[in-house]
């Protein structure tokens, strides 16, 4: 799976761009073409000024399968599996045939429209091995997460056009971002309005940690929970599509 988002819908966090950014990376169009040529049966979808996504079922790990779905202009790519899927179907009032993609979309819609729980709790309630990328085309909002143990290979970076790139294929990420990439932080989620946050420690800030490759060159930073830095939780929630994730 591959997603390339404009900074207007997914602004990359501080530190993800490498000081050696000029050494590599390609734009959205060439990267989508490369993905399509490298993955049999790939489907690519343009999202207008917001970016583009691409999906393929080829070359997948049978223990961590990929799935893709669209509901009401909400696109979701999911890799892995949810262990408590039966419980979540009941919680969200879904039918027996609902899969992981449908559960994530419904969880997002519940947060966006009604917001009874903080986003961190909703992601924390997903038990299993997973990574997912969701884009709501109607509001230009992203919702991206990886499980607490980082069981699914999942990477992100910044390309030459300053767009955020996400994929389960590290070679695709290197092609698109050069040195400006890193593993997506385990136990974290990213939203358009809230940026990168830890769902395990939602009240703590995340700090970038410099990362150096085998040749001694600085790459995109990784991120870890700053146990000393607490967030200001005094901002009241605003129940609207534009601000659905503004609170942890």
């Amino acid at each position: 799976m591959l997603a390339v988002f404009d900074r207007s819908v997914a602004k990359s966090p501080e530190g993800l761009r490498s000081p050696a950014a000029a050494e590599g990376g390609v734009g959205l169009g060439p990267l989508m073409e490369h993905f399509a040529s490298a993955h049999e049966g790939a489907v690519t979808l343009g999202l207008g000024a917001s970016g583009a996504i691409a999906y393929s079922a080829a070359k997948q790990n049978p223990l961590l399968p990929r799935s893709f779905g669209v509901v009401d202009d909400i696109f979701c790519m999911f890799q892995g599996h949810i262990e408590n899927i039966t419980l979540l179907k009941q919680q969200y009032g879904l039918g027996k045939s609902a899969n992981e993609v449908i559960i994530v979309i419904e969880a997002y819609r519940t947060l966006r429209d009604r917001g009874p729980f903080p986003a961190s709790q909703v992601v924390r309630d997903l038990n299993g091995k997973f990574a997912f990328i969701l884009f709501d085309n109607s509001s230009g909002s992203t919702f991206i997460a990886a499980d607490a143990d980082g069981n699914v290979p999942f990477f992100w970076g910044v390309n030459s056009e300053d767009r955020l790139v996400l994929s389960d294929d590290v070679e695709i990420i290197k092609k698109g971002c050069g040195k400006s990439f890193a593993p997506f932080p385990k136990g974290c989620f990213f939203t358009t309005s809230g940026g990168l946050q830890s769902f395990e420690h939602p009240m703590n800030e995340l700090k970038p940690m410099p990362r150096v490759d085998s040749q001694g060159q600085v790459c995109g930073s990784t991120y870890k929970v700053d146990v000393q830095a607490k967030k200001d939780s005094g901002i009241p929630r605003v129940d609207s599509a534009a601000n659905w994730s503004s609170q942890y």
Side-chain angles (χ1 to χ4, degrees):
M1 57 187 182
L2 169 65
V4 183
F5 293 123
D6 186 76
R7 62 183 287 111
S8 63
V9 297
K11 184 179 179 181
S12 63
E14 178 184 353
L16 190 55
R17 174 174 289 281
S18 164
E23 294 187 5
V26 299
L28 184 153
L31 186 60
M32 286 291 160
E33 293 175 3
H34 177 72
F35 182 91
S37 65
H39 296 80
E40 183 180 352
V43 176
T44 60
L45 296 168
L47 303 172
S50 297
I53 58 175
Y55 169 82
S56 172
K59 303 177 183 178
Q60 64 178 321
N61 181 343
L63 299 178
L64 298 170
R66 301 187 201 105
S67 51
F68 173 73
V70 186
V71 178
D72 295 337
D73 223 17
I74 301 172
F75 301 82
C76 182
M77 297 183 289
F78 185 100
Q79 182 168 355
H81 59 84
I82 296 175
E83 295 173 357
N84 59 333
I85 191 168
T86 301
L87 177 63
L88 292 173
K89 287 178 186 179
Q90 296 172 349
Q91 179 176 321
Y92 292 112
L94 298 170
K96 293 182 179 180
S97 62
N99 62 5
E100 281 87 351
V101 161
I102 299 302
I103 287 173
V104 170
I105 290 176
E106 189 59 31
Y108 165 79
R109 287 170 50 167
T110 300
L111 283 167
R112 183 195 66 182
D113 300 338
R114 300 186 293 278
F117 309 111
S120 57
Q121 181 179 334
V122 170
V123 183
R124 195 163 56 243
D125 285 345
L126 303 176
N127 298 332
K129 301 177 179 181
F130 64 85
F132 65 79
I133 303 168
L134 179 148
F135 179 71
D136 182 352
N137 198 41
S138 64
S139 63
S141 298
T142 58
F143 184 27
I144 302 156
D147 71 64
D149 296 317
N151 289 294
V152 176
F154 194 38
F155 307 90
W156 66 342
V158 185
N159 73 359
S160 58
E161 301 167 332
D162 206 24
R163 296 175 186 261
L164 189 67
V165 182
L166 303 108
S167 180
D168 60 325
D169 186 337
V170 68
E171 296 305 320
I172 291 291
I173 288 287
K174 289 179 179 179
K175 177 78 173 178
C177 305
K179 299 291 184 183
S180 296
F181 82 95
F184 189 87
K186 60 186 180 180
C188 291
F189 69 103
F190 178 94
T191 65
T192 296
S193 59
L196 182 66
Q197 304 173 62
S198 168
F199 62 79
E200 290 195 299
H201 305 280
M203 298 307 298
N204 290 86
E205 298 283 356
L206 291 165
K207 60 181 180 181
M209 304 295 292
R211 190 171 65 92
V212 178
D213 66 13
S214 58
Q215 283 133 11
Q217 294 186 314
V218 179
C219 301
S221 295
T222 56
Y223 298 83
K224 67 177 293 185
V225 172
D226 187 342
V227 296
Q228 303 299 323
K230 297 287 186 179
K231 293 180 179 179
D232 178 9
S233 59
I235 301 174
R237 186 183 184 88
V238 178
D239 291 322
S240 71
N243 298 285
W244 69 271
S245 59
S246 62
Q247 196 177 39
Y248 5 98

